Amino acid sequence: MTDTSASRPAKRVFIKTYGCQMNVYDSERMRDVLRPIGYAPADSADEADLVILNTCHIREKATEKVYSELGQLKLMKQERGGDLTIAVAGCVAQAEGAEIMRRQPAVDLVLGPQAYHKLPEMIARASRAKGDRLETEFETLEKFDALPKTREADGPSAFLSVQEGCDKFCTFCVVPYTRGAELSRSVDDITAEARSLAAQGVREITLLGQNVNAFHGAAPALSNEADWTLGQLVRHLAKIGGIERIRYTTSHPRDMDDDLIAAHGDTAAMMPFLHLPVQSGSDRILRAMNRGHTAEDYREIIRKVRAARPDIALASDFIVGFPGETHADFEATMQLVRDVNYAIAYSFKYSARPGTPAADMAGQVPEQVKDARLQQLQQLLREQQAAFNRSKIGQTVPVLVTGRGRNPGQAHGRSPWLQAVHFDLSGDHRAHDRDPDAFLRDLVGQIVDVRVIDASLNSLTGELVPVREAAL
Ligand code: 5AD
Ligand code: SF4
């Protein structure tokens, strides 16, 4: 081991992330903001001087987890004689900041998703006084502008935030209240970040937004064009050298325009995967949810997407037990799932969120009914997911290598359809001729051919298809 004590930064930060990929991205950006003021990342709260919980408010269960975690941290802080700074960030912070301070006085600071660039200032303030510890104003543009344009990449796959917030106001959802109004970043800013990532070896970028296909970012500064759509942005980013794979998440059926659908067919970097939440297969429920589309509208989009890209893997989100959901409504959801046939899907019991219109609707569904419906739906979704993974057995698929695999002599990577792939390197003579670790290190960030041998619910296993020497 080398001695790094001379250069070791004075402090360490541990960020625990809950919820969606937007929070994963925000946690990375908080690390970026804290690095210049001397905070290095820690692997656990035990090793940290500053612990940040980046929280999720989407369902009640997610919120309650935060309070129980804070209870643990309070004990840790007491054991250390107060020598631990505790921060709560994310959507719970935004929605109930004052309540957090009241319920857990050990918390030093609370900051909403638009305030991360102010972290250094807030930490300094918190250490000086117990005053101003709450920062939950909405200033999305300021956040986008204030965050560094370049960032440290962590492996060959990276998230890139292009849009935040949501104006759709689905009646069950807290996002429009916690993340604020829909707002897009400029194409120039996004391009600068994508270039910086590509220069650091990133090959796959996932464009992020609560409503990512509602993207309408300012066109490049000198172009004099109107705002760009997501389809235009994808085609533009695909031209950056090194960016070989582009994904986007999460989208809304109402914003699935024809150009974006066409890009799935004509842009090589666009990966054959689409996460398009539908929530329910019943028109009555979709109306009560204020989704702004019918089940048939959704089926039509799926038909078009499949026509553009026949091998596309489809993903979705579902809510069971929305107020007023009858057995027939639920059956319509099951039928939609059978018709579409998903590669993967996320399903949830409806959770009443205070302040949202659905929380006050008549016909709240009993918990046991929700449980039974969720089980039934998840059983069907699991069958579809396993079948989708099995359908790749025997195929040779391009895999972006991300690191070491589960077992020695194995690497890990990702298929175009977002499946985790564990694959054996031993079939390739270079794994024997060279130091195996060095061989694996060289492979990370490359897209290699893997023959799929087996599949489980959550991953594929296979073996590296040897390439001729000249190819490396
Ligand atoms: N109850 C249950 N599930 C919800 N989601 C959003 N709000 C709620 C809620 N109140 C689900 C939706 C959404 C996903 C991110 O979380 O399916 O697409
Ligand atoms: Fe929530 Fe609906 Fe907006 Fe998605 S589209 S974030 S479910 S309000």
Side-chain angles (χ1 to χ4, degrees), residues 193-204:
E193 192 167 325
R195 286 219 175 93
S196 143
L197 290 169
Q200 295 174 70
V202 167
R203 297 287 158 264
E204 175 177 85

Side-chain angles (χ1 to χ4, degrees), residues 166-170 172-176 210-211 252 279 291:
C166 180
D167 293 333
K168 299 279 191 302
F169 289 93
C170 297
F172 53 81
C173 187
V174 289
V175 167
Q210 257 96 30
N211 239 263
H252 193 291
Q279 315 296 356
R291 291 289 292 176

